[in-house]
């Protein structure tokens, strides 16, 4: 280090340069830590991702409610039994088809899973699994289709 004005300036420049590098490294480390935190958060969300059950390919539709073609349940006409937890009979699968609006579909066992259904997202009901629905929009229109696998016995169900 020189005592000349020129030497002092050079040392000062070096100190500022070191400070700038340290600051840059600190910012880079903070950015890297934030990126890692975001990746971990995304990984945790993916691990918790809820997957809709799938209707078996061989299942055959045998019924629908409401029973008339072109008829749908609405936010104000949903049967009370669908709003509280209920099940289908043994061997009976269901598919909730939303025509318009949004519907909350909750599977209550073996663990609670919640889905928001719309016209592009049907809900699959597994046999004898407790579930319930609730309207999420006033313009809701939906129907429930019922399916069975071949060879699983006769259909012995009454519908509302």
């Amino acid at each position: 280090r020189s005592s000349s004005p020129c030497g002092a300036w050079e040392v000062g420049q070096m100190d500022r340069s070191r400070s700038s590098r340290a600051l840059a490294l600190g910012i880079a480390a903070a950015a890297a830590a934030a990126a890692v935190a975001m990746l971990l958060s995304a990984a945790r969300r993916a691990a918790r991702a809820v997957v809709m059950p799938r209707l078996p390919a061989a299942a055959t539709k045998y019924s629908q409610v409401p029973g008339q073609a072109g008829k749908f349940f609405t936010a104000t006409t949903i049967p009370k039994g669908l709003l509280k937890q209920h099940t289908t009979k043994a061997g009976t699968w269901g598919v909730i088809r939303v025509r318009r609006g949004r519907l909350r579909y909750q599977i209550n066992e073996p663990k609670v899973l919640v889905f928001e259904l719309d016209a592009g997202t049907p809900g699959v009901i597994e046999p004898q699994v407790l579930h319930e629905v609730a309207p999420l929009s006033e313009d809701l229109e939906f129907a429930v289709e019922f399916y069975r696998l071949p060879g699983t016995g006769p259909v012995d169900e009454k519908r509302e």
Side-chain angles (χ1 to χ4, degrees), residues 42-155:
R44 281 189 215 103
R45 279 193 310 273
R48 290 190 309 258
V50 179
V51 177
M52 180 70 67
R54 291 185 178 258
L55 182 69
T60 303
K61 181 179 172 182
Y62 71 86
S63 180
Q64 173 178 317
V65 291
Q68 296 175 303
K71 296 286 184 176
F72 300 92
F73 294 125
T74 67
T76 58
T77 65
I78 300 175
K80 290 183 178 164
L82 299 183
L83 297 171
K84 59 185 181 182
Q85 75 176 2
H86 61 283
T87 67
T88 59
K89 302 285 184 190
T92 298
W93 291 77
V95 177
I96 303 168
R97 300 221 186 257
V98 175
R99 179 174 178 239
R100 183 179 6 210
R102 296 176 299 116
L103 180 72
R104 180 177 186 265
Y105 169 46
Q106 179 173 310
I107 299 171
N108 293 330
E109 61 182 1
K111 63 181 180 178
V112 174
L113 303 174
V114 178
F115 300 92
E116 185 174 312
L117 307 182
D118 57 28
T121 308
V124 176
I125 305 165
E126 295 176 290
Q128 296 182 292
V129 173
L130 287 170
H131 62 280
E132 60 193 78
V133 299
L136 292 175
S137 66
E138 291 182 18
D139 63 341
L140 175 66
E141 292 183 348
F142 76 99
V144 183
E145 301 170 346
F146 295 98
Y147 295 78
R148 289 186 73 79
L149 292 172
T152 57
V155 175

Side-chain angles (χ1 to χ4, degrees), residues 6-19:
C6 185
W9 180 83
E10 289 172 4
V11 170
Q13 273 299 99
M14 288 178 19
D15 288 342
R16 280 193 293 274
S17 179
R18 284 187 194 128
S19 294

